[in-house]
């Protein structure tokens, strides 16, 4: 077998795609991961990092392109850490995501038969993000620049017009850059922990057209504030302008203190018929069009008739809870972040929805406590946990409560598979599985699963 070394060049045929979107090829049983290569490509590769049985290689030249390949639209798609799949046609990306879910459910979940329904793709997989956070920095030749971090680094790849974001981003960033140049405002430098302007957060309500700009600063005020506001107000739709103070030496983007400069301090948007108030620090799904499809699917899987008591665990700002409440007798939401629950209650009031109740706390503590104390019953339990999935105590309690249905919304099909396996071993069976693409050009995929209790 060849002893591979760094910088070796070789031919490779790409046969599969990794979880992270790299092309996978083999040379005499040795596995290579190649960023930017697409399944079906024949390439010339250069070894970058060699391990015992696998290595990472760089795509040097495409000798014969795969029929799944397409020309990336973004000129910096390879340098930028944001997208992994731009070189793959969108239809193929959807197939890749469907396979990812299926593979996890069969390999990790141990399910023989997976009732997969077609993944829900986007009509237009570009400009779908309603939110972007742009870091400010200085180029080698001393210009003020913004863009996105290169993969696994904090080097800025200059780009004021990310094709996943809204067109207004470019105008907003141009105005802020000119303001910085005019008043000699320095971008924040992480290593030195100095400079004033950190990230700019831009959000847009897709249905309402309202725009929000929140400038994160390493300080508590900005010079010539009125000029900053005046400049931004020339962008159509500008509704909310604020500063967010972040004095910490941290790579967490937002601080905790917001100073309002213009407007009501929030923008409004809709998912379906439900209205949401979005403040600079609130969590809100970044792809509202696909979110609506995802929640409609969760609602359909829940099969509500108006008589049910539903628990929505990991409810965030109550997005799914309010959606479900339109068809249920009562919805009870549980979320660990107190501010998110404040938003959830406010959003319920904003929509005149009264059949919801929210609890602050860990799902694995609130659910058993409420169940034991009040024997609270559930017809349906919906869960939408973070990537690490549900806590075992949470799953055990669900099994004890024995709802007819469990609807699992997941952003990580590996932990989803693990949790479904537990439920399948404890009286539930998988009835429906459907993927939803919320993040085109990236490797991420959301999944909704319906599990029903097996009658005994
Ligand atoms: N369903 C919401 C949010 C899902 S994101 C929506 O679609 O908008 C997952 C949420 O789980 C986050 O809001 C996170 O704060 C919350 N969370 C994380 N760990 C938790 C736990 N142990 N108990 C309850 N909520 C938790």
């Amino acid at each position: 077998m060849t002893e591979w070394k760094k910088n070796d060049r070789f031919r490779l045929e790409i046969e599969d795609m990794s979880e992270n979107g790299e092309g996978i090829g083999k040379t005499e049983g040795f596995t290579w991961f190649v960023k930017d290569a697409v399944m079906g490509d024949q390439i010339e590769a250069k070894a970058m990092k060699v391990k015992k049985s696998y290595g990472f290689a760089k795509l040097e030249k495409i000798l014969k392109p795969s029929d799944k390949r397409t020309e990336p639209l973004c000129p910096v798609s390879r340098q930028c850490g944001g997208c992994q799949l731009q070189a793959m046609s969108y239809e193929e990306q959807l197939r890749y995501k469907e396979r990812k879910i299926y593979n996890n459910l069969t390999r990790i979940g141990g399910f023989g038969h997976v009732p997969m329904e077609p993944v829900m793709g986007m009509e237009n997989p570009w400009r779908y993000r309603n939110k972007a956070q742009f870091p400010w920095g200085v180029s080698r030749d001393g210009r003020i620049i913004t863009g996105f971090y290169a993969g696994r680094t904090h080097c800025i790849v200059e780009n004021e017009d990310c094709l996943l974001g809204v067109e207004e981003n470019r105008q907003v960033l141009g105005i802020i850059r000119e303001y910085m140049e005019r008043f000699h405002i320095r971008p924040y430098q992480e290593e030195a922990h100095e400079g004033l302007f950190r990230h700019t957060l831009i959000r847009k309500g897709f249905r309402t057209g309202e725009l929000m700009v929140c400038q994160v600063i390493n300080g508590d005020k900005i010079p010539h504030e009125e000029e900053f506001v005046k400049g931004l107000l020339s962008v159509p739709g500008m509704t909310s302008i604020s500063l967010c103070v972040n004095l910490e030496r941290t790579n967490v983007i937002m601080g905790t203190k917001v100073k309002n400069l213009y407007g009501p301090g929030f923008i409004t948007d809709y998912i379906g018929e439900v209205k949401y108030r979005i403040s600079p620090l609130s969590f809100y799904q970044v792809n509202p069009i696909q979110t609506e499809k995802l929640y409609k699917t969760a609602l359909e899987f829940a099969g509500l008739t108006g008589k049910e008591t539903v628990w929505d665990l990991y409810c965030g700002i109550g997005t799914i809870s309010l959606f479900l409440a339109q068809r249920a007798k009562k919805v009870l939401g549980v979320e660990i972040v107190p501010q998110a629950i404040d938003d959830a209650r406010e959003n319920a009031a904003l929509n005149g929805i009264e059949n919801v109740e929210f609890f602050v706390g860990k799902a694995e503590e609130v659910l058993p406590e409420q169940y034991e104390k009040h024997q609270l019953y559930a017809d349906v339990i919906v869960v939408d946990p973070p990537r690490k999935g549900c806590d075992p105590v949470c799953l055990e309690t669900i099994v004890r409560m024995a709802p007819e249905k469990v609807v699992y919304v997941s952003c990580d099909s590996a932990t989803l598979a693990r949790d479904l396996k537990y439920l399948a071993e404890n009286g539930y069976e998988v009835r429906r599985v459907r993927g939803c693409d919320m993040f085109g050009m990236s490797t991420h995929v959301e999944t909704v699963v319906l599990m029903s209790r097996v009658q005994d």
Side-chain angles (χ1 to χ4, degrees), residues 283 285 295 314-316 319-320 334-337 361-364 384-386:
F283 171 84
Q285 296 281 359
Y295 292 174
Y314 311 89
C315 72
T319 341
I320 299 181
V334 184
E335 160 65 42
I336 198 169
V337 176
K362 292 184 181 167
E364 60 273 23
D384 182 9

Side-chain angles (χ1 to χ4, degrees), residues 92-144:
E92 193 54 36
Q93 291 182 26
L94 294 178
R95 259 174 256 145
Y96 162 83
K97 293 184 184 194
E98 210 166 278
R99 248 185 350 257
K100 184 168 171 171
I101 298 171
Y102 179 85
N103 288 343
N104 279 331
L105 292 191
T106 50
R107 289 176 196 162
I108 302 173
F111 295 100
H113 169 69
V114 181
M116 294 283 294
E117 296 172 30
V119 63
M120 292 177 278
M122 292 181 217
E123 255 157 55
N124 176 11
W126 303 101
R127 301 216 180 272
Y128 60 80
R129 286 185 65 98
N130 61 11
K131 169 184 165 180
Q133 291 163 315
F134 293 89
W136 290 97
V138 180
S139 67
R140 286 215 183 108
D141 58 355
R143 286 175 303 114
I144 293 176

